[in-house]
Amino acid sequence: MAKQQKVEPPAADGEGAPVKSKKKLFILIGAAFLALLLSAGGAAFFLMGDEEEPAEEAVNAAPVKQVALYQPMDPAFVVNYTHENRRRYMQVNVVLMGRDAEKMAAVSQHMPLLRNELVLQFSSEEFASLFTPEGKEALRDRATLSVQSILEKELGDPVIESVLFTNIVLQ
């Protein structure tokens, strides 16, 4: 007796499809997962790269501070005071500090006006207040404001950053 081989009829489209669709499903899920990882990595790269660029731009965009320029006001100022019925003196060497060379050159044109203002201001001070470091600093601040206001009127710009005392003698 011969073995009979059972020949199965070809499967209909609905029966054979589940095996192939599972493979396709796994391939599609894997491809989608890979695409998701690549897009997340690309987004992270661009976001991290964007954070560094503004920091570099901020450094480059920051104004470069110009070199300080100093203009001495020679000769030294000497002011007379009467303190406790005695004659007292203050001698102070003044230097103006600015950063714009052209504007600092224009300041020298107004030096007589600046010297006059500083002499009047120094002579109106209380001698006793000048003994403390705070008193000297307050005098320097007031002198800076006076010079800046005069230069603002004359040149339209305060020009100087600070009035500096390079030497101060009280006697």
Side-chain angles (χ1 to χ4, degrees), residues 37-50:
L37 285 178
L38 288 174
S39 65
F45 175 77
F46 285 114
L47 290 176
M48 287 182 180
D50 287 344

Side-chain angles (χ1 to χ4, degrees), residues 1 30 69 75-76 103 111 119 166:
M1 286 194 251
L69 302 171
K103 292 178 181 177
M111 204 57 76
V119 165
T166 56

Side-chain angles (χ1 to χ4, degrees), residues 8-24:
E8 294 182 24
D13 286 340
E15 293 176 4
V19 174
K20 287 184 179 180
S21 68
K22 283 187 180 179
K23 286 182 184 178
K24 285 183 182 178

Side-chain angles (χ1 to χ4, degrees), residues 64-126:
V64 176
K65 197 168 190 179
Q66 295 177 338
V67 176
L69 302 171
Y70 301 98
Q71 185 168 358
M73 295 184 75
D74 291 327
F77 291 86
V78 178
V79 184
N80 302 327
Y81 295 99
T82 302
H83 177 68
E84 297 177 353
N85 295 327
R86 293 185 63 194
R87 295 295 279 170
R88 300 290 185 172
Y89 301 95
M90 175 179 73
Q91 178 183 352
V92 60
N93 292 56
V94 176
V95 176
L96 304 176
M97 184 184 88
R99 299 206 182 262
D100 188 343
E102 290 178 20
K103 292 178 181 177
M104 287 297 285
V107 168
S108 63
Q109 194 174 26
H110 300 286
M111 204 57 76
L113 182 59
L114 297 175
R115 287 187 67 82
N116 178 63
E117 178 65 27
L118 290 176
V119 165
L120 293 175
Q121 182 163 9
F122 292 158
S123 63
S124 68
E125 294 293 321
E126 280 293 321

